[in-house]
């Protein structure tokens, strides 16, 4: 069994590398939070109180983001390997055994990633403190602490989220009849699962509770900040219900006859874009939500400094965008095969690059629309609670979308360009 | 550079011409593995050519080189008069789009597109109009037009690939084991369709199915990367005997 685990890890290197990267990134961001708390504990006094206040917000934003991004990437890790599990079933492994193997793989990869991520956090903590707390001499003079007792909960959290989330997906995958998996050249369609219903409903309930607590609150900014990422969580959870239709609807701004590249990208994204779009929605919601909440509660006298923004959402934002890029990287083999088919059908190199670029535009465009919806929810709730409407969330949302677009474009177009140099026959013969 | 001319206009000119084609791949030890060793052949307009031979004899490699999907190591390949070794990538894409059809053993279809959309794809790339439903009806899949590949059986997927060829009407169709994954009945059905295509267009089919090969106008038996035998309008028994002699 150990040989099977190891050989599978190397055969699906791209997929597992993506999972490892996201486990590490989640741990690095988690380490920031843990270090805030540890540093506050050791500092004591008013400094500690200030730090506690900040770290509570960061912790909440980080946990919401990590659950969505890490959950998405983990499920993708498993579903991308559905064919392998089918082959395992055909050589006689039971579904229970397959689930055990996959869970072991996930545990190993998540532990390794989390440890690496915590280690990576060590050298950046001090400069981050110095930068984020520039405006406050007390805080910027602090020496950040991050010891084993801070790292352990982070590692545990990352490992548990990945292992539990992945194990459920693995259970489903292992019980899919092998013939069905082998026939499906693409991912199985994303369906609503009990876990999705549960997390989606839970997020709605939390949003309702936050909203109910707002009237009369002296500091509505912090709870308001959580509303956009939570709304993003609701959208991601219920994604299978509406996302394909939503993508097809807004992308029909360009009629199918206008551009073959757009047409291809549109279909591809509608059927398998969820994993990439989800983290991007969170990214837009984090940035737009923070500013919308600040705008509503500060009534024009904003106190958000760049340092504070980086401190509050820098980590989660990075995790979300990385997560999205990782899903593109992980599923690149499938994209290669589609492009190879297009080349065989007479698609020009230009068409293929344009299709890859269109795919990036559709990912980010969809995420921007859904992210803006989350930000609008924040603004509406904020206006209701504070009687002040704010447009402050719009520009940051657009900024994050543009920055993400550059990264996502790189992630789709560069591999497509490299793929053009590969032999079509090699790609089609693989597997 | 000569622009490709359609088979309708070139009269008796060969659709595919292969001259002294060799192909080798780099080997793990740093040397090269010769796979095709000097092949010369021509495919006439409307000809149905089958390529058979033992596993590893180079059939797929020959098909890919003939169609310009793989570059030749030495020698020359012309498709509709155009040298695929010297043509630009854009010219090759245009040649494939307008004049060449492919049927692979599997993974012929784009998963995110329905059967109808897959059939119409090459025409869409060429900004031409086709009637995908007609073509799907010809292969008996009118009722599956809006299914995606994942919801179609292997034989149905293969028939969609043939419908694509029927819709686009390329001058030459390259098929690599189009019946390889099919049961006898669906295999026969796919072959009937291909034979129908070959009445007006050229078809080059690689196959292990010797009965199927015997339906072609001409059968090439490959052995160790060279043409071992060539049979014209063969009886199935002759094909069996020739292949037995090759392995
Ligand atoms: N990309 C490649 N790199 C190295 N060797 C290759 C490559 N493609 C094919 N070969 C080798 O070329 C030889 C012929 O392969 P090819 O796929 O053409 O055989 P085939 O006749 O189609 O066999 P089969 O009937 O099993 O499909 C094989 O020995 C194979 O190992
Ligand atoms: Mg072959």
């Amino acid at each position: 069994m150990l040989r099977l685990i190891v050989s599978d890890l190397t055969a699906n290197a791209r997929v597992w590398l993506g999972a490892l990267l996201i486990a590490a990134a989640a741990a690095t961001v988690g380490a920031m939070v843990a270090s805030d708390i540890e540093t506050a504990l050791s500092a004591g006094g008013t400094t500690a109180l200030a730090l506690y206040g900040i770290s509570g917000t960061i912790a909440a934003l980080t946990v919401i983001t990590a659950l969505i991004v890490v959950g998405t990437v983990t499920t993708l890790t498993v579903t991308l390997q559905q064919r392998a599990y089918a082959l395992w079933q055909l050589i006689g492994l039971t579904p229970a055994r397959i689930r055990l193997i996959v869970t072991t793989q996930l545990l190993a990869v998540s532990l390794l990633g989390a440890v690496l991520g915590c280690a990576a956090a060590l050298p950046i903590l001090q400069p981050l403190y110095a930068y984020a707390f520039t405006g406050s001499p007390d805080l910027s003079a602090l020496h950040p602490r991050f010891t084993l007792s801070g790292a352990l909960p982070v590692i545990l959290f990352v490992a548990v989220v990945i292992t539990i989330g992945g194990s459920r997906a693995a259970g489903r995958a292992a019980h899919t009849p092998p013939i069905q998996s082998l026939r499906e050249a693409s991912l199985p369609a994303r369906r609503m699962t009990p876990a999705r219903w549960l997390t989606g409903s839970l997020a709605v309930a939390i949003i309702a509770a936050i909203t109910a607590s707002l009237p009369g609150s002296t500091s509505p900014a912090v709870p308001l900040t959580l509303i956009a990422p939570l709304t993003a969580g609701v959208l991601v959870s219920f994604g299978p219900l509406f996302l394909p239709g939503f993508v097809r609807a807004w992308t029909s701004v360009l009629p199918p006859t206008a551009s073959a590249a757009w047409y291809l990208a549109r279909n591809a994204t509608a059927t398998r874009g969820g994993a990439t779009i989800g983290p991007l929605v969170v990214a837009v919601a984090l940035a737009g939500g923070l500013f919308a909440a600040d705008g509503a509660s500060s009534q024009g006298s904003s106190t958000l400094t760049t340092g504070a923004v980086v401190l509050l959402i820098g980590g989660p934002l990075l995790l979300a965008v990385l997560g999205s890029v990782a899903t593109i990287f992980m599923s690149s083999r499938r994209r290669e095969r589609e492009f190879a088919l297009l080349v065989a059908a007479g698609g020009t190199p230009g068409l293929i690059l344009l299709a890859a670029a269109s795919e990036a535009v559709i990912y980010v465009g969809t995420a921007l629309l859904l992210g803006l919806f989350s930000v609008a929810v924040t603004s509406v709730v904020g206006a209701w609670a504070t009687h002040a409407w704010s447009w402050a969330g719009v520009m940051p949302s657009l900024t994050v979308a543009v920055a993400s677009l550059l990264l996502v474009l790189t992630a789709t177009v560069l591999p497509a360009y490299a793929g053009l140099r590969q032999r079509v026959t090699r790609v089609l013969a693989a597997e | 550079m000569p622009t490709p001319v359609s088979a309708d206009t070139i009269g008796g000119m060969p659709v595919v011409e292969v001259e002294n084609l060799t192909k080798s791949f780099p080997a793990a030890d740093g040397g090269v593995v010769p796979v095709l060793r000097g092949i010369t052949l021509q495919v006439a307009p409307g000809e149905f050519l089958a390529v058979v031979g033992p596993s590893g004899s180079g059939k797929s490699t020959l098909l890919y080189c003939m169609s310009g999907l793989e570059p030749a190591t030495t020698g020359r390949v012309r498709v509709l008069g155009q040298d695929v070794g010297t043509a630009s990538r854009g010219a090759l894409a245009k040649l494939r789009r307008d004049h060449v059809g492919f049927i692979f053993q599997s993974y012929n279809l784009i998963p995110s597109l329905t059967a109808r959309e897959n059939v119409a794809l090459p025409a869409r790339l060429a900004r031409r109009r086709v009637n995908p439903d007609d073509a799907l009806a010809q292969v008996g899949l009118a009722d599956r037009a809006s299914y995606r590949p994942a919801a179609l059986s292997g034989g149905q997927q293969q028939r969609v690939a043939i419908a694509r060829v029927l819709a686009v009407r390329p001058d030459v169709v390259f098929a690599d084991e189009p019946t390889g994954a099919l049961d006898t009945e669906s295999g026969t059905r796919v072959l009937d369709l291909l034979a129908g295509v070959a009445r007006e267009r050229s078809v080059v089919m690689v196959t292990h199915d010797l009965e199927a090969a015997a339906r072609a106008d001409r059968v090439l038996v490959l052995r160790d990367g060279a043409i071992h035998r060539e049979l014209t309008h063969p009886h199935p028994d002759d094909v069996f005997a020739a292949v037995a002699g090759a392995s």
Side-chain angles (χ1 to χ4, degrees):
Chain A
M1 180 166 130
L2 194 67
R3 269 196 47 199
L4 189 56
I5 295 179
V6 174
S7 74
D8 176 71
L9 283 178
T10 49
N12 289 298
R14 272 187 231 198
V15 176
W16 286 112
L17 251 158
L20 184 74
L21 173 78
I22 292 311
T28 306
V29 176
M32 309 286 167
V33 179
S35 154
D36 285 344
I37 299 173
E38 259 199 275
T39 311
L41 279 174
S42 71
T46 49
T47 320
L49 281 182
L51 209 48
Y52 275 136
I54 299 167
S55 57
T57 316
I58 306 176
L61 291 173
T62 304
V63 168
I64 297 170
T65 308
L67 284 176
I68 298 172
V69 174
V70 173
T72 303
V73 170
T74 307
T75 313
L76 185 69
T77 307
V78 173
T79 45
L80 277 176
Q81 302 183 75
Q82 187 109 325
R83 285 175 67 83
Y85 306 151
L87 292 173
W88 293 359
Q89 263 179 284
L90 290 179
I91 59 170
L93 290 188
T94 62
R97 192 68 185 268
I98 293 174
R99 187 174 184 170
L100 180 69
I101 294 176
V102 178
T103 310
T104 314
Q105 289 174 326
L106 288 166
L107 187 67
V109 167
S110 59
L111 283 176
L112 178 65
V115 170
L116 290 176
C118 285
L122 287 175
I124 35 185
L125 284 171
Q126 179 77 58
L128 185 78
Y129 270 57
Y131 175 72
F133 296 125
T134 338
S136 141
D138 282 354
L139 290 175
S140 56
L142 283 174
H143 280 285
R145 279 179 61 87
F146 183 56
T147 63
L148 206 57
S149 51
L152 274 179
V154 173
I155 295 173
L156 209 66
F157 172 79
V158 172
V160 165
V161 171
I162 290 185
T163 309
I164 292 187
S167 162
R168 297 184 54 88
R172 272 199 308 280
H175 281 95
T176 306
I179 298 308
Q180 185 183 331
S181 316
L182 287 177
R183 210 167 66 202
E184 290 184 9
S186 60
L187 276 190
R190 288 151 58 89
R191 280 179 296 264
M192 284 307 288
T193 56
R196 281 180 178 275
W197 284 110
L198 192 73
T199 45
S201 315
L202 202 66
V204 171
I206 298 175
I207 294 171
I210 290 178
T211 308
S213 75
L214 282 176
S217 159
T218 50
S219 56
V222 169
L224 264 179
T225 303
L226 300 183
I227 287 188
L230 281 169
T231 309
V234 175
L235 294 174
V236 170
S237 300
F238 293 129
L241 293 180
F242 73 93
L243 201 54
F246 180 74
V247 170
R248 279 182 208 283
W250 86 261
T251 51
S252 64
V253 291
L254 219 60
T257 45
S259 156
W262 185 263
Y263 162 84
L264 288 163
R266 170 177 186 240
N267 278 293
T269 317
T271 47
R272 60 166 155 72
T276 305
I277 294 168
L280 285 176
V281 178
V282 180
V284 174
L286 278 168
L290 177 65
F291 282 88
D294 179 65
S297 50
S298 68
Q299 324 247 323
S301 58
S302 170
T303 53
L304 270 184
T305 62
T306 317
V309 174
V310 170
L311 183 71
L312 283 169
I313 58 168
L317 198 61
L318 210 63
L319 178 61
V321 176
L322 267 183
S324 166
V325 170
T327 62
I328 296 172
F329 171 69
M330 289 162 76
S331 52
S332 55
R333 187 176 292 168
R334 212 164 9 129
R335 199 169 288 106
E336 272 170 15
R337 199 157 60 206
E338 277 188 35
F339 289 153
L341 280 175
L342 279 179
V343 169
T348 57
L351 171 97
I352 286 166
L353 295 179
L354 204 58
S358 305
E359 199 174 328
V361 170
I362 295 176
Y363 286 143
V364 176
T366 309
L368 177 62
L369 291 173
L370 296 178
L372 280 175
F373 172 79
S374 312
V375 176
V377 172
T378 308
S379 291
V380 170
V381 172
W384 171 76
T386 66
H387 308 290
W389 177 265
S390 166
W391 292 102
V394 176
M395 272 320 283
S397 303
L398 290 175
T399 310
V400 166
V402 169
S404 312
L405 181 61
L406 293 180
L407 278 171
V408 174
L409 267 175
T410 316
T412 57
V413 175
L414 273 190
Y417 183 75
L420 286 175
R421 322 207 144 259
Q422 263 197 351
R423 304 240 171 91
V424 171
T425 51
R426 170 87 52 97
V427 176
L428 289 177
E431 274 182 77
Chain B
M1 182 194 310
T3 44
V5 276
S6 149
D8 300 332
T9 57
I10 58 173
M13 237 178 85
V15 176
V16 183
E17 284 179 272
V18 176
E19 276 170 51
N20 286 321
L21 166 70
T22 72
K23 175 76 185 175
S24 16
F25 288 105
D29 61 8
V32 291
V33 189
V35 173
L36 297 177
R37 310 158 186 264
I39 291 195
T40 298
L41 65 88
Q42 300 191 333
V43 182
E47 185 180 24
F48 186 1
L49 175 70
V51 181
V52 299
S55 179
S57 55
K59 303 182 295 295
S60 298
T61 308
L62 173 61
L63 191 82
Y64 295 149
C65 288
M66 279 173 88
S67 58
L69 282 183
E70 276 289 351
T73 305
T74 66
R76 184 141 70 162
V77 175
R78 284 207 207 92
V79 177
L80 296 166
Q82 183 159 348
D83 189 330
V84 300
T86 57
S88 70
R89 269 197 284 185
L92 275 181
K94 219 162 154 297
L95 177 73
R96 282 198 281 264
R97 191 188 72 190
D98 299 335
H99 302 284
V100 178
F102 285 99
I103 301 169
F104 301 105
Q105 183 170 356
S106 51
Y107 300 127
N108 277 293
L109 309 176
I110 304 246
S112 56
L113 301 182
T114 62
R116 178 187 289 120
E117 292 166 336
N118 264 292
V119 169
L121 181 65
R124 185 180 276 281
L125 295 182
R127 293 177 179 279
R128 270 188 291 148
R129 293 212 155 272
V130 293
N131 192 338
D133 290 324
D134 258 9
L136 281 169
Q138 283 182 57
V139 299
L141 288 176
D143 57 334
R144 294 285 191 280
S146 48
Y147 282 43
R148 279 181 222 288
L152 296 170
S153 76
Q156 288 169 336
Q157 292 184 30
Q158 216 62 325
R159 273 146 65 196
V160 173
I162 292 187
R164 187 169 59 194
V165 164
L166 292 172
V168 178
R169 312 177 70 76
D171 296 299
V172 52
V173 176
F174 295 100
D176 192 359
E177 297 184 33
T179 58
L182 306 182
D183 64 52
T184 327
E185 198 185 326
S186 355
T188 308
R189 176 141 202 200
V190 164
L191 272 175
D192 290 342
L193 290 163
L194 265 182
V197 171
R199 272 199 290 276
E200 333 164 17
R201 317 273 141 178
S202 307
V203 173
V204 182
M205 174 179 72
V206 164
T207 184
H208 278 290
D209 179 346
L210 302 185
E211 301 262 7
R215 298 181 55 168
D217 301 318
R218 191 155 55 111
V219 179
L220 295 180
V221 183
L222 230 56
R223 175 180 163 182
D224 289 336
I227 297 177
H228 171 66
R229 290 282 308 274
E230 185 175 336
L231 309 165
T232 312
H233 293 292
H235 189 272
D237 292 346
D238 300 337
V239 182
F240 278 99
V243 172
S247 30

